[in-house]
Structure formats: C-alpha cells, structure tokens
Amino acid sequence: MRFSDFSCLCIILSALLISGKAEIYIATVEGEPVISYMGDIDGFEATAVESDEKIDTTSESVTSYARHLENKHDMLLGMLFERGTYKKIYSYRHLINGFAVHLSPEQAEILRLAPGVKCVERDWKVRRLTTHTPEFLGLPTGVWPTGGGFDRAGEDIVIGFVDSGIYPHHPSFATRHTGPYGPVPKYRGKCEVDPDTKRSFCNGKIIGAQHFAHAAIAAGAFNPIIDFASPLDGDGHGSHTAAIAAGNNGIPVRVYGHEFGKASGMAPRARIAVYKALYRLFGGFVADVVAAIDQAVHDGVDILSLSVGPNSPPATTKTTYLNPFDATLLGAVKAGVFVAQAAGNGGPFPKTLVSYSPWIVSVAAAIDDRRYKNHLTLGNGKILAGLGLSPATLANRSYTLVAANDVLLDSSVMKFSPTDCQRPEVLNKKLVEGNILLCGYSFNFVVGTASMKKVAETAKALGAVGFVLCVENVSPGTKFDPVPVSTPGILITDVKNSKELIDYYNISTPRDWTGRVKRFKGTGNIGDGLMPILHKSAPLVALFSSRGPNIMDFSFRDADLLKPDILAPGSLIWAAWSLNGTDEPNYVGEGFAMMSGTSMAAPHIAGIAALIKQKHPHWSPAAIKSALMTTANTLDRAGRPLLAQQYSETEAMKFVRATPFDYGSGHVNPRAALDPGLIFDAGYNDYLGFLCSTPGINVNEIRNYTHSPCNTTMGHPSNLNTPSIAIAHLVGTQTVTRTVTNVAGEEETYVTTARMEPAVAIEVNPPAMTIKPSASRKFTVTLTVRRVTGLYSFGEVLLKGSRGHKVRIPVLANGYQR
C-alpha cells in the first residue's frame, strides 16, 4: 500500500467531524491468514495447511507471520485515525485476516474505503440457543465398551466450548474419583486464574479456560460484578453444555433433596477447553465469539461445540455462508476441527434456522423417551393433568384449596401481583397453613421475574402442604417444562383444565355480599411427579427446534443444501449447573438443571463426535459428519416414522410426520456411526467450489472472506459431496454426483436403491458397486420433474452392503416448470 494513499485518507479524516456514536466493526483486509498463507512475502515462510490439517502454532514461521499481520492491522489503523479516536479490540490472524475495532460510523466508512480493506461489517449480537440420554442413545452398552469403557471414552480428545464459561468445582468436572489425567501435548491453550481465589480454572479434566469480552466492554454491555471477568460461569448455560458433551460418568443428580438419576457426558473422559464469550444479560458479540473460535483452533482443540447463534443476520451480509462467523468456522474446519452448532429455537416455523453452512454440523433438538407428568385430583373426582417434579401430598387424603387472592393481608398490595405467590409476607399464614395454595401464572413467569421455585418457597413459608399454579391464558409458542420443587406442587398448563379448576373452586367457595370468602370448601390432592414415564414414541422432533428449508441469502431464497443435518436429544436434559447461575430462576443456587433447547442437542453431537474421533483419529470433520448422518435413524423406537411436534389450526399442539426439514438425516445413532462402512468426504477446496457454484454469490465476496479466487466450480451447489441431496429449483431433469469412500477395512459390495415421492422421479447409477478398502467410487442420482406441486418432494438413496452396512442419504427437490 502506497503512503500517498494513506495521506489522502488522513486529509479526508481531518476534514470530517467524527460525530456518530462509536460501535464495533469487524474488518477483513488483503493478505492471507496463517491457515492459507503460501509464502509469497519475502522473509516469511509459508504457513498454509492442507485440508483437515492442524496449524503448528509452535513453529517460528507461524508466530512471525501472525505477528506480521497484527503489525499491519495496527499500522493501517494508526495511519487512518488519530490515537485515542478508536480502539482495536482484536486482531484475527489464524483463520481470517482482519480485526475488530471500536469506531464511529464515519470512521467506519473511511476504513471501508481504505486501500487493502476488503469488507467492514458492524458487529452483531449472538444468543444462547437454550441424565438419561447416554442410555437412550445406547452409549454404555454399544459404544463405550468399544473404546475401553466409560473411563476411557473420549480419552485425550479436546472439546472446545464457546459458551458462558464453566463452574470448575462441579463434580461433573472433578478429578478426585477418576484416573489421573496426563498432559495432552497437541493442546497449547492457557488457563486463566480466578481473580478472587487466585486458583487456576484447570484441573486436568478442564485443560484450558479463557474469557473474551473486549467487544462487550467496548460496547458498554459488560458488568464485571454480574458477568465475571474470568472463565467463571455466571449463567449456568456453559457448565450445562460442557457436562452434556464431556461431563464425568455416574454423577448423582440431586435437586431439592430428590435424586433424578445419574448424569454423564457423551464422552466422559474427553478434555474440556473453555472459551467464554457469552454473558447472562446480553448474550454476546460476534467479535468476541470469532476471537474465541480463532483462539480455540490456535490452541489445538479437536471439536468445537457452539450453542450460539445470531440474534438476526448482519444487515450488510448478502449471503448466509459468508460473514466473519461462518468464514472463521470454515477456517476451523480446514484446520481439522469438527464443528457442531445448535440449529436454533425458532420452530416449528419454516426457515428459522440460524446455522447455514455446509462445513458446520447443524443440530436439531429431539424429545427422548423420558417424560414427566403429574396430576391434581379435585374433590369432585375430576383429575387434571399438569407438570411438577414434586412429591405427592399424603396418600388417601384431600386438602382444602385456598386461592392467593382470597387470603391477602391487605387489598392494597394488589399492585404487587400477589396471585403469583412470590411474596409470602402479603398472604395470611393462618388461612394458608395446612392447605393447598392456588396461584396464578402471570406474565412475570414468562419474563423471569417470577419462578415456580419462589412459589414453592412461599408455600413452605406459609405452612401450606402444597401449591397449584394455574395458566389461565397462554401465547402461541409458550413452552412449559417441568420444574423440580421441594414441596408438593403442580403447574396446570392446559387453559381448559385451569378453567375447570377455577370453576370448581368458585362453586365450592361460598362468599358474602362483599365477595369475601365465608368458608373454603373445595378440596384436592397432588400426585407424585418425581418418576419419569418412558415412551416408545421417541424420539420426536421438539416443537421449538428450528426448521428448514435452509436459506442461501437474507432474501430467504431456498438453498441447495439440506439443514438441519441431524437430530439429537435436546428436551428436558439434566446436566451440571453453576451455583452462580442466574439464567434460569428455578435453579438458582442448585448444582443441576433440566434445560431444553438446541443448545442441549449440539453438545450431544460434539461428545459423540469425540468418540468417533477417538476411534478414527485421522478422519476429517466431513468424514465424522458423514458417519453421523448416513447412519441416523428415521424411525422411532416402535419402528414408526419419526413425528414432529407442530401447531394445529387452533394453535394447540399436534404431531405430524416429520421430514428432513425437521430432522435432517435423522436421529443420531452413535453405535452405527462408529462403523459407517462408507463416508462422503469433502475438504476446503470442495467448500470453495460450493460457494463458487452457488448462484447469486459475488466472486469478490467469496474472495473477501476466503482469500481464494473462484478458479473452479462444481457446476451446481448440489454437487457438493455431502451425505444429502437438496435441489431447491428442479427444472426438467438434473443429475448430481456423489463419491463414497470405503472406511470399513474390507472389500464390500453395495447395492444402491432409491425412492422418492411421486411428483419427482429418481434414478441411481450404477445399481451396484464393489469397493476395496480405502478406495472411492462415484455414483449419480438423476431427478426428473413429473408433476409441479409447489411443494418439496422427499426421498432417499440407500446403499446396502454385503457385510451388513447400510448407508442412507436423504433426497429432496422442489419441481418447477420449464
């Protein structure tokens, strides 16, 4: 860059009044990042890695070139702007070449016009996408024994968590009762020290712990008292996700004096590397998240678990696949890191995914076979269903029902919403004691200022034998999860049941002419809600889990790429919680929490990927993804097609037959994924070819983020070698190609068959293939429009091997007229 160019810009700068409110911007600049630098600058050796190869961050060539890039970033900013008018937040050097900087909008425009600057985007926020599952997935009997048992499952595999931190003192992460953890030479991350106790956050199980908050601090969102300027989890979410993937095996889950079984991570011997970039009140900033991912890959993690997604797409980004976040993850995959990301919690509505790119494994959430139910029996014999992880009231005995608004000490307290039973001091203990307290589910419960835990505490303080919480009106999409409480209690979620209870109470409660109760005569008793009920109709796609089709841009045009990729347990998942955790008011001060969300599904896949990586250490991220997808189940435990929760016309919940837009390739099957027979492999150049083949993507935009020209294409994006086929706009006939590689160690003959819904014809060739160990073979799938319906047609290609392997890929296409 010529000095005269800078001089012109500096003159422009001095003439402008820097008046706009400063914000954080992420800039990418010319020059290759470490991962793809080919050595074309004098004095700096090449640092590029082959696809799926880790960066050797200990080499002098890497450290010197990374230092060179950071110096260039500092020089550019220093020549454009006066010192004190900006603040550089991060330099990104390993996966993308750029930086995050705190600037005014006017300064950002100057930066955008500067020579050598490729792209400048305003930072945007991300949010969290918020035990029995090892048994449900068959890990103890079918998977862990193949790797030496639970005490070796995931040995020396490092899973990085970009989340809200960790509570390091939790038994799920303790080393007291496990075999000693040795060093992991490939991992070079650091451990921060707790500023209060001066103790390291690491213990061998936790192998790295860092926090990233520079962007949050610059934006004025960070509160060190609440958010903790350390890896400590002030939320609970990060501890929960880490324990799902890699928590110790056999940890008793005790909450409010009740034990709900024993918890275990998917890979209980895997190491945990913490990269805290999410915070309780505001979520997080992409600038911090990108810095955390860059550091995690630099440190040498094997797997990345991301239970995080954007609040909304960045306004300046045209393509879902090309932004600093997804481009950084593409670099991570090039460095051999497997990435599992939560698909999003926008379901059951279509096109609500927040995970888009083919190099990422996008995980949808399933309900497993364990359900919790409870019931309230009224004095008139009616039984009302509800939710409540609580003990029962005494058997064969009924208790008087007393409504909170009938036992107020002072009617003037109505402004405090006393019917939600959060403040025992406003209710008359003499009238409540020995009875069941009836409370109302107000909007305060929705926003988190009221909690079922507090209702239980109020009931206990007043001497009530139990409580009932009634939902009298509900917004579409409201999700109710059972909550453990220390005293008998139940939440009546069905509005009709709540009305029946209220009608019974009013009929049974005589009043004087002023409305004051003369005598409480209604009775009831609360059932036992502590024991789970196991269902065969599992798994089910959870109502909240985001649905496809995937989108290629923010005009919401359908992509030629299936998302989500796979389904994993994500509803009512017990796992570790931070004692400092405040994200969920019902679990404040508790060591475990039962949470739902695709946030819980993604670490299931991250942990299972660690088990596959342990068995097949040289497999690429795409190979692991393929093994997971091609062996997934599309039938439930009763042998019926998977169902999905959906809204009916009356906004009540119903069950419909699920499609790949709900579950991707199906529900994860860990045992089969360890031995898939064939894999569909892909690498960095394949992903570049996908981008270059996607219509509507500007080649300059691709170069801005990948630093690579579009020298080759694959003709159509559906030719990317993924274990699924999606054609969003099928006109006439289209043929796509796939390549499979035999990873079974023995020659095997595969017979190929295909089926499709009637509107689209499908043909696969060749009809049979014999493939030697480590050899690859191509096959083609031809789709032809038979009838235009305006809807997607779904089908599959099945490859059945002579040695018992079954390889299945979903196929979907939307036919159009010529």
Side-chain angles (χ1 to χ4, degrees):
M1 196 181 292
R2 299 192 310 274
F3 183 76
S4 59
D5 295 327
F6 279 123
S7 300
C8 293
L9 282 164
C10 289
I11 292 167
I12 294 170
L13 173 62
S14 62
L16 284 170
L17 177 64
I18 309 302
S19 57
K21 183 183 176 183
E23 296 184 81
I24 299 161
Y25 294 85
I26 301 174
T28 53
V29 296
E30 284 184 357
E32 304 287 341
V34 166
I35 200 165
S36 54
Y37 169 61
M38 301 300 291
D40 50 357
I41 300 175
D42 289 343
F44 296 97
E45 295 179 11
T47 59
V49 299
E50 297 296 322
S51 190
D52 311 319
E53 181 186 347
K54 288 195 181 294
I55 302 169
D56 180 8
T57 54
T58 61
S59 73
E60 176 58 29
S61 58
V62 168
T63 55
S64 64
Y65 182 66
R67 198 180 309 118
H68 164 75
L69 292 180
E70 184 160 5
N71 290 339
K72 295 270 285 185
H73 301 162
D74 294 339
M75 186 184 302
L76 172 63
L77 289 168
M79 297 188 78
L80 283 175
F81 309 119
E82 290 183 25
R83 183 175 296 185
T85 66
Y86 71 92
K87 182 179 181 181
K88 190 187 76 171
I89 308 296
Y90 296 107
S91 272
Y92 306 125
R93 304 159 298 168
H94 300 100
L95 307 179
I96 60 173
N97 179 19
F99 50 84
V101 61
H102 196 232
L103 294 171
S104 69
E106 294 85 354
Q107 287 174 306
E109 192 57 34
I110 291 167
L111 179 61
R112 187 175 284 111
L113 297 172
V117 175
K118 292 184 166 188
C119 183
V120 176
E121 292 188 26
R122 190 173 63 191
D123 194 8
W124 68 102
K125 281 189 174 181
V126 294
R127 64 176 183 267
R128 302 174 298 276
L129 300 172
T130 291
T131 211
H132 166 79
T133 47
E135 287 77 17
F136 179 67
L137 295 171
L139 297 180
T141 57
V143 177
W144 290 344
T146 67
F150 74 84
D151 52 352
R152 289 290 176 267
E155 184 79 71
D156 290 343
I157 302 298
V158 181
I159 307 177
F161 297 89
V162 178
D163 214 298
S164 66
I166 198 162
Y167 188 72
H169 316 298
H170 196 281
S172 289
F173 315 123
T175 57
R176 293 188 299 275
H177 304 297
T178 64
Y181 285 96
V184 181
K186 67 184 178 186
Y187 182 76
R188 295 168 295 276
K190 67 179 182 180
C191 287
E192 291 184 22
V193 172
D194 188 312
D196 295 324
T197 67
K198 309 305 178 188
R199 291 169 57 188
S200 171
F201 277 87
C202 297
N203 61 1
K205 172 71 172 177
I206 303 170
I207 199 172
Q210 303 170 59
H211 83 289
F212 299 81
H214 291 322
I217 292 168
F222 185 84
N223 181 340
I225 297 173
I226 297 173
D227 298 313
F228 301 113
S230 76
L232 185 64
D233 187 2
D235 178 287
H237 190 270
S239 302
H240 201 271
T241 56
I244 290 170
N248 290 331
N249 181 62
I251 306 302
V253 178
R254 294 193 183 98
V255 180
Y256 300 126
H258 310 302
E259 185 168 317
F260 294 94
K262 289 182 167 54
S264 174
M266 302 297 102
R269 189 66 178 176
R271 311 298 181 96
I272 293 169
V274 177
Y275 298 87
K276 177 179 170 181
L278 300 181
Y279 298 88
R280 181 172 73 89
L281 295 179
F282 57 87
F285 291 83
V286 168
D288 288 328
V289 171
V290 168
I293 295 168
D294 187 84
Q295 188 65 51
V297 176
H298 168 276
D299 292 345
V301 301
D302 298 297
I303 313 282
L304 265 177
S305 180
L306 299 175
S307 293
V308 55
N311 285 352
S312 59
T316 55
T317 298
K318 301 180 184 69
T319 307
T320 51
Y321 317 127
L322 291 173
N323 56 69
F325 181 75
D326 284 76
T328 300
L329 292 176
L330 176 57
V333 170
K334 185 181 182 184
V337 178
F338 175 91
V339 180
Q341 184 188 13
N345 296 336
F349 307 107
K351 296 189 179 184
T352 49
L353 296 157
V354 297
S355 179
Y356 315 101
S357 297
W359 45 89
I360 299 166
V361 178
S362 308
V363 188
I367 299 170
D368 65 20
D369 61 344
R370 184 192 59 194
R371 321 281 162 80
Y372 288 99
K373 293 184 178 180
N374 205 342
H375 62 274
L376 170 70
T377 303
L378 299 179
N380 61 5
K382 290 283 181 68
I383 297 175
L384 305 180
L387 298 174
L389 292 175
S390 81
T393 51
L394 289 177
N396 303 316
R397 182 175 171 185
S398 290
Y399 296 87
T400 302
L401 304 177
V402 175
N405 56 357
D406 285 328
V407 293
L408 297 177
L409 288 171
D410 182 352
S411 60
S412 67
V413 302
M414 287 300 291
K415 63 182 180 181
F416 296 115
S417 187
T419 57
D420 60 16
C421 299
Q422 302 295 291
R423 304 177 65 208
E425 67 272 15
V426 303
L427 303 177
N428 189 328
K429 184 174 182 178
K430 290 180 181 178
L431 295 177
V432 175
E433 197 166 16
N435 299 322
I436 293 176
L437 179 63
L438 303 185
C439 309
Y441 190 91
S442 68
F443 185 68
N444 295 333
F445 288 89
V446 179
V447 298
T449 55
S451 70
M452 200 160 166
K453 176 184 179 180
K454 191 67 179 173
V455 176
E457 290 173 354
T458 296
K460 195 170 184 178
L462 296 173
V465 297
F467 68 88
V468 180
L469 195 55
C470 298
V471 178
E472 295 183 65
N473 52 65
V474 62
S475 302
T478 303
K479 182 169 68 73
F480 298 101
D481 285 345
V483 173
V485 288
S486 56
T487 190
I490 187 170
L491 171 67
I492 307 294
T493 58
D494 189 311
V495 173
K496 288 184 288 187
N497 283 348
S498 292
K499 184 177 185 305
E500 194 158 340
L501 168 60
I502 293 165
D503 288 346
Y504 167 73
Y505 177 79
N506 287 334
I507 291 169
S508 307
T509 307
R511 301 174 185 271
D512 64 19
W513 64 274
T514 66
R516 184 171 297 173
V517 174
K518 293 199 291 188
R519 187 177 172 199
F520 296 101
K521 297 174 68 177
T523 61
N525 61 71
I526 297 167
D528 184 352
L530 294 174
M531 292 300 294
I533 302 165
L534 300 181
H535 285 250
K536 280 192 173 181
S537 59
L540 297 164
V541 181
L543 186 73
F544 58 80
S545 186
S546 288
R547 311 298 211 261
N550 192 17
I551 57 172
M552 61 177 283
D553 57 34
F554 295 112
S555 299
F556 286 82
R557 288 190 298 161
D558 290 11
D560 294 297
L561 178 71
L562 175 62
K563 290 285 177 174
D565 293 304
I566 199 161
L567 184 69
S571 179
L572 307 183
I573 306 299
W574 280 112
W577 197 246
S578 172
L579 293 182
N580 305 303
T582 52
D583 178 48
E584 172 49 68
N586 287 307
Y587 295 100
V588 171
E590 294 300 319
F592 289 89
M594 184 169 61
M595 306 295 288
S596 297
T598 53
S599 277
M600 285 66 245
H604 277 89
I605 294 299
I608 295 165
L611 300 176
I612 299 172
K613 182 78 173 175
Q614 181 187 18
K615 184 172 182 180
H616 305 284
H618 302 297
W619 278 14
S620 68
I624 297 173
K625 175 181 178 179
S626 174
L628 290 164
M629 290 179 65
T630 60
T631 59
N633 295 323
T634 57
L635 302 177
D636 67 16
R637 304 194 89 174
R640 297 183 294 255
L642 290 178
L643 299 178
Q645 292 182 329
Q646 183 57 264
Y647 286 130
S648 67
E649 294 71 21
T650 61
E651 295 178 344
M653 195 175 66
K654 64 179 181 178
F655 298 98
V656 299
R657 184 164 177 168
T659 75
F661 287 149
D662 304 315
Y663 57 63
S665 57
H667 190 272
V668 65
N669 180 346
R671 184 173 187 172
L674 288 176
D675 181 22
L678 302 175
I679 58 164
F680 295 74
D681 211 351
Y684 183 74
N685 289 331
D686 299 297
Y687 298 129
L688 281 180
F690 167 83
L691 293 172
C692 295
S693 305
T694 299
I697 299 185
N698 187 305
V699 293
N700 292 323
E701 193 180 359
I702 295 171
R703 191 177 184 113
N704 286 349
Y705 284 105
T706 67
H707 305 276
S708 301
C710 278
N711 291 331
T712 59
T713 75
M714 50 184 59
H716 192 274
S718 60
N719 282 320
L720 177 66
N721 200 44
T722 59
S724 62
I725 295 173
I727 303 177
H729 200 97
L730 176 65
V731 178
T733 297
Q734 186 172 327
T735 298
V736 298
T737 303
R738 288 293 183 270
T739 302
V740 288
T741 302
N742 183 349
V743 294
E746 295 178 291
E747 181 177 285
E748 193 163 4
T749 298
Y750 285 85
V751 175
T752 58
T753 57
R755 62 176 182 83
M756 200 78 184
E757 290 177 339
V760 174
I762 186 169
E763 182 183 358
V764 59
N765 278 300
M769 301 179 288
T770 298
I771 312 175
K772 295 183 182 299
S774 303
S776 298
R777 287 287 303 273
K778 292 183 184 296
F779 68 92
T780 61
V781 179
T782 301
L783 300 171
T784 303
V785 179
R786 281 177 170 163
R787 189 173 76 253
V788 176
T789 64
L791 301 170
Y792 277 88
S793 296
F794 300 101
E796 67 179 22
V797 172
L798 181 65
L799 296 87
K800 293 183 75 171
S802 55
R803 297 185 179 275
H805 292 106
K806 290 183 180 180
V807 179
R808 190 189 61 83
I809 66 170
V811 181
L812 52 132
N814 195 351
Y816 288 81
Q817 289 181 330
R818 288 186 182 276

Short mmCIF file of all heavy atoms in Angstrom, two decimals, residues 6 14 20 61 81 133 183 293 301 314 323 337 384 524 530 539 571 590 612 623 649 660 691 696 704 709 715 814:
data_model
loop_
_atom_site.label_atom_id
_atom_site.label_comp_id
_atom_site.label_asym_id
_atom_site.label_seq_id
_atom_site.Cartn_x
_atom_site.Cartn_y
_atom_site.Cartn_z
N PHE A 6 -2.52 6.68 1.96
CA PHE A 6 -2.84 6.99 3.36
C PHE A 6 -2.92 8.50 3.56
O PHE A 6 -3.77 8.99 4.30
CB PHE A 6 -1.76 6.42 4.28
CG PHE A 6 -1.93 4.97 4.56
CD1 PHE A 6 -0.91 4.08 4.27
CD2 PHE A 6 -3.09 4.51 5.13
CE1 PHE A 6 -1.07 2.74 4.54
CE2 PHE A 6 -3.25 3.15 5.41
CZ PHE A 6 -2.24 2.28 5.11
N SER A 14 -9.18 14.39 8.62
CA SER A 14 -9.05 15.62 9.40
C SER A 14 -10.15 16.63 9.05
O SER A 14 -10.46 17.51 9.83
CB SER A 14 -7.67 16.26 9.16
OG SER A 14 -7.53 16.60 7.79
N GLY A 20 -20.65 10.48 15.02
CA GLY A 20 -21.59 9.39 15.31
C GLY A 20 -21.19 8.60 16.54
O GLY A 20 -20.03 8.63 16.97
N SER A 61 7.69 -19.91 11.93
CA SER A 61 7.06 -19.33 10.74
C SER A 61 5.65 -18.86 11.04
O SER A 61 5.22 -17.79 10.57
CB SER A 61 7.06 -20.35 9.59
OG SER A 61 6.37 -21.53 9.98
N PHE A 81 -6.32 6.96 11.49
CA PHE A 81 -7.03 7.67 12.56
C PHE A 81 -6.06 8.15 13.63
O PHE A 81 -5.03 7.52 13.88
CB PHE A 81 -8.07 6.74 13.20
CG PHE A 81 -8.99 6.08 12.23
CD1 PHE A 81 -9.04 4.69 12.13
CD2 PHE A 81 -9.80 6.83 11.40
CE1 PHE A 81 -9.89 4.06 11.23
CE2 PHE A 81 -10.65 6.22 10.49
CZ PHE A 81 -10.69 4.84 10.40
N THR A 133 -29.86 -39.46 28.68
CA THR A 133 -29.61 -39.62 27.24
C THR A 133 -28.49 -40.60 26.90
O THR A 133 -28.58 -41.22 25.84
CB THR A 133 -29.35 -38.26 26.59
OG1 THR A 133 -28.41 -37.52 27.36
CG2 THR A 133 -30.65 -37.48 26.48
N PRO A 183 -0.70 -35.07 30.45
CA PRO A 183 -0.68 -33.93 29.53
C PRO A 183 -1.19 -34.33 28.15
O PRO A 183 -1.16 -35.50 27.78
CB PRO A 183 0.81 -33.55 29.48
CG PRO A 183 1.53 -34.81 29.83
CD PRO A 183 0.65 -35.55 30.79
N ILE A 293 -13.18 -18.49 18.86
CA ILE A 293 -13.00 -19.60 17.91
C ILE A 293 -11.58 -19.60 17.37
O ILE A 293 -10.93 -20.66 17.29
CB ILE A 293 -14.02 -19.49 16.77
CG1 ILE A 293 -15.45 -19.66 17.31
CG2 ILE A 293 -13.73 -20.52 15.68
CD1 ILE A 293 -16.53 -19.28 16.32
N VAL A 301 -7.83 -27.50 19.70
CA VAL A 301 -8.99 -28.32 20.03
C VAL A 301 -9.30 -29.26 18.86
O VAL A 301 -8.97 -28.98 17.71
CB VAL A 301 -10.23 -27.46 20.38
CG1 VAL A 301 -9.95 -26.54 21.55
CG2 VAL A 301 -10.72 -26.68 19.17
N PRO A 314 -26.58 -10.02 10.01
CA PRO A 314 -25.99 -8.70 9.84
C PRO A 314 -26.54 -8.03 8.59
O PRO A 314 -26.68 -8.65 7.55
CB PRO A 314 -24.49 -9.00 9.71
CG PRO A 314 -24.42 -10.41 9.27
CD PRO A 314 -25.60 -11.10 9.87
N ASN A 323 -19.77 -14.49 6.17
CA ASN A 323 -19.71 -13.45 7.19
C ASN A 323 -18.55 -13.83 8.09
O ASN A 323 -18.02 -14.93 7.99
CB ASN A 323 -21.05 -13.37 7.96
CG ASN A 323 -21.44 -14.70 8.57
OD1 ASN A 323 -20.79 -15.15 9.52
ND2 ASN A 323 -22.47 -15.35 8.03
N VAL A 337 -10.85 -29.19 12.53
CA VAL A 337 -11.71 -29.12 13.72
C VAL A 337 -13.16 -29.40 13.32
O VAL A 337 -13.69 -28.75 12.41
CB VAL A 337 -11.60 -27.74 14.40
CG1 VAL A 337 -12.54 -27.66 15.60
CG2 VAL A 337 -10.16 -27.48 14.84
N LEU A 384 -56.98 -33.56 36.86
CA LEU A 384 -56.44 -32.57 35.94
C LEU A 384 -54.94 -32.80 35.76
O LEU A 384 -54.19 -32.82 36.73
CB LEU A 384 -56.68 -31.15 36.48
CG LEU A 384 -58.14 -30.80 36.81
CD1 LEU A 384 -58.23 -29.38 37.33
CD2 LEU A 384 -59.04 -30.99 35.60
N GLY A 524 -58.63 -31.03 47.26
CA GLY A 524 -57.86 -31.71 46.21
C GLY A 524 -56.61 -32.34 46.79
O GLY A 524 -56.27 -32.14 47.96
N LEU A 530 -42.34 -37.28 40.56
CA LEU A 530 -40.89 -37.48 40.54
C LEU A 530 -40.43 -38.57 39.58
O LEU A 530 -39.28 -38.54 39.12
CB LEU A 530 -40.39 -37.82 41.96
CG LEU A 530 -40.53 -36.71 43.00
CD1 LEU A 530 -40.14 -37.24 44.38
CD2 LEU A 530 -39.67 -35.51 42.63
N PRO A 539 -37.57 -41.10 19.37
CA PRO A 539 -37.58 -39.65 19.60
C PRO A 539 -38.66 -38.94 18.78
O PRO A 539 -39.18 -39.48 17.81
CB PRO A 539 -36.20 -39.23 19.13
CG PRO A 539 -35.85 -40.24 18.08
CD PRO A 539 -36.45 -41.54 18.52
N SER A 571 -34.38 -31.93 24.76
CA SER A 571 -35.53 -31.53 25.58
C SER A 571 -35.44 -32.17 26.96
O SER A 571 -35.24 -33.38 27.07
CB SER A 571 -36.83 -31.96 24.89
OG SER A 571 -37.95 -31.60 25.67
N GLU A 590 -28.63 -24.09 42.64
CA GLU A 590 -28.63 -25.55 42.51
C GLU A 590 -27.43 -26.01 41.68
O GLU A 590 -26.87 -25.26 40.88
CB GLU A 590 -29.93 -26.03 41.84
CG GLU A 590 -31.16 -25.79 42.69
CD GLU A 590 -31.10 -26.52 44.02
OE1 GLU A 590 -30.65 -27.70 44.04
OE2 GLU A 590 -31.48 -25.93 45.04
N ILE A 612 -16.08 -40.76 18.01
CA ILE A 612 -15.70 -41.18 16.66
C ILE A 612 -14.25 -40.76 16.37
O ILE A 612 -13.47 -41.54 15.81
CB ILE A 612 -16.66 -40.56 15.61
CG1 ILE A 612 -18.09 -41.05 15.85
CG2 ILE A 612 -16.20 -40.90 14.20
CD1 ILE A 612 -19.13 -40.36 15.00
N ALA A 623 -15.75 -36.37 7.24
CA ALA A 623 -15.92 -37.82 7.40
C ALA A 623 -16.72 -38.12 8.67
O ALA A 623 -17.60 -39.00 8.67
CB ALA A 623 -14.55 -38.50 7.45
N GLU A 649 -54.49 -25.88 13.68
CA GLU A 649 -55.16 -24.64 13.28
C GLU A 649 -55.64 -23.85 14.49
O GLU A 649 -55.77 -22.63 14.45
CB GLU A 649 -56.33 -24.96 12.35
CG GLU A 649 -55.94 -25.56 11.00
CD GLU A 649 -55.43 -27.00 11.12
OE1 GLU A 649 -55.74 -27.67 12.14
OE2 GLU A 649 -54.70 -27.43 10.21
N PRO A 660 -37.17 -34.29 6.41
CA PRO A 660 -35.78 -33.85 6.58
C PRO A 660 -35.64 -32.37 6.97
O PRO A 660 -34.61 -32.00 7.54
CB PRO A 660 -35.15 -34.14 5.21
CG PRO A 660 -35.90 -35.33 4.71
CD PRO A 660 -37.32 -35.07 5.16
N LEU A 691 -19.24 -22.68 -2.83
CA LEU A 691 -19.51 -21.24 -2.82
C LEU A 691 -19.48 -20.67 -4.22
O LEU A 691 -20.34 -19.87 -4.61
CB LEU A 691 -18.49 -20.53 -1.93
CG LEU A 691 -18.55 -20.83 -0.42
CD1 LEU A 691 -17.36 -20.23 0.30
CD2 LEU A 691 -19.86 -20.32 0.18
N GLY A 696 -25.80 -16.26 -7.54
CA GLY A 696 -26.08 -15.03 -6.82
C GLY A 696 -24.99 -14.59 -5.87
O GLY A 696 -25.04 -13.48 -5.34
N ASN A 704 -13.20 -12.03 -0.57
CA ASN A 704 -13.05 -11.21 0.65
C ASN A 704 -12.93 -12.08 1.90
O ASN A 704 -12.16 -11.76 2.81
CB ASN A 704 -14.24 -10.27 0.80
CG ASN A 704 -14.20 -9.12 -0.17
OD1 ASN A 704 -13.19 -8.88 -0.84
ND2 ASN A 704 -15.31 -8.39 -0.28
N PRO A 709 -9.51 -17.26 -5.11
CA PRO A 709 -10.29 -16.97 -6.31
C PRO A 709 -11.19 -18.15 -6.67
O PRO A 709 -10.98 -19.27 -6.22
CB PRO A 709 -9.21 -16.78 -7.38
CG PRO A 709 -8.08 -17.67 -6.91
CD PRO A 709 -8.12 -17.62 -5.42
N GLY A 715 -20.31 -26.91 -10.98
CA GLY A 715 -21.46 -26.88 -11.86
C GLY A 715 -22.73 -26.45 -11.17
O GLY A 715 -23.42 -25.53 -11.61
N ASN A 814 -37.66 -29.54 -5.17
CA ASN A 814 -38.88 -28.79 -5.44
C ASN A 814 -38.96 -28.58 -6.95
O ASN A 814 -38.12 -27.89 -7.53
CB ASN A 814 -38.85 -27.45 -4.71
CG ASN A 814 -40.22 -26.80 -4.65
OD1 ASN A 814 -41.16 -27.25 -5.29
ND2 ASN A 814 -40.32 -25.72 -3.88
#
